Amino acid sequence: MPEFTFRVNGEQVTVDVAGDVRLLWVLRDILGITGPKYGCGINVCKACTSHLNGKAVNPCAIPVEDLQPADEVTTIEGLPATVGRDLHPMQQAWLDHDVAQCGYCQPGQIMAAVALVRRAAAEGRTITDADLDGLRNICRCGTYVRIRAAIKAGAAAMGGGPA
């Protein structure tokens, strides 16, 4: 089988798998990184949301052969290291707002929220309700009110939203 090299959470990794294996399975089954969750496998539920070179992506839709050696995959496990803390400000906001119920979707929700706040900041603006409406991560428990409150608080702590 071919080898594919890329970076995950700051570490260079090489995996020996078929090129059409989805990144989600490489992360979970080969590398043992279980933060990205398997929900649908068809890029709909967004439970696996992670970052690829800083942008929110869904590893269930990315064949590992599409990755390049310089590509950086960040999962929920590597998110705190991006700010040099034990918890990323968005993770802290999740705790402060008691968002999690079953918790299954939370890693993907947090990763999508961080990417949204960073994108808005790069555009020179703060997040809006329209931005929040555009998030498509599914929460089967329906904690959307708390999710939105936590995103706003996390954005403020990241310097990308109203306090």
Side-chain angles (χ1 to χ4, degrees):
M1 274 192 262
E3 287 188 342
F4 300 96
T5 301
F6 53 97
R7 298 182 61 77
V8 178
N9 297 330
E11 301 290 327
Q12 193 83 20
V13 298
T14 299
V15 295
D16 185 11
V17 297
D20 63 348
V21 172
R22 301 299 178 191
L23 177 58
L24 179 62
W25 303 125
V26 171
L27 293 171
R28 291 184 60 81
D29 296 344
I30 296 171
L31 299 175
I33 299 171
T34 58
K37 304 301 183 203
Y38 172 70
C40 68
I42 57 172
N43 199 21
V44 173
C45 76
K46 315 294 187 208
C48 64
T49 302
S50 299
H51 295 170
L52 177 59
N53 301 324
K55 297 184 190 273
V57 297
N58 299 103
C60 70
I62 300 173
V64 70
E65 67 191 353
D66 288 357
L67 297 177
Q68 301 299 314
D71 283 337
E72 176 72 40
V73 176
T74 305
T75 67
I76 193 76
E77 290 90 344
L79 189 61
T82 67
V83 294
R85 296 164 127 171
D86 291 336
L87 287 176
H88 187 279
M90 193 64 71
Q91 291 172 302
Q92 186 60 55
W94 240 250
L95 293 173
D96 293 346
H97 288 269
D98 198 25
V99 173
Q101 195 161 323
C102 85
Y104 196 80
C105 71
Q106 301 312 297
Q109 296 275 1
I110 291 169
M111 296 302 287
V114 169
L116 170 65
V117 173
R118 287 180 179 163
R119 187 181 77 230
E123 294 170 359
R125 60 185 187 81
T126 60
I127 60 167
T128 65
D129 283 334
D131 289 322
L132 297 177
D133 292 344
L135 290 174
R136 295 292 179 232
N137 294 63
I138 295 172
C139 174
R140 293 180 280 193
C141 299
T143 65
Y144 296 109
V145 172
R146 294 193 311 251
I147 289 169
R148 290 173 76 98
I151 293 172
K152 289 176 181 179
M158 292 171 63

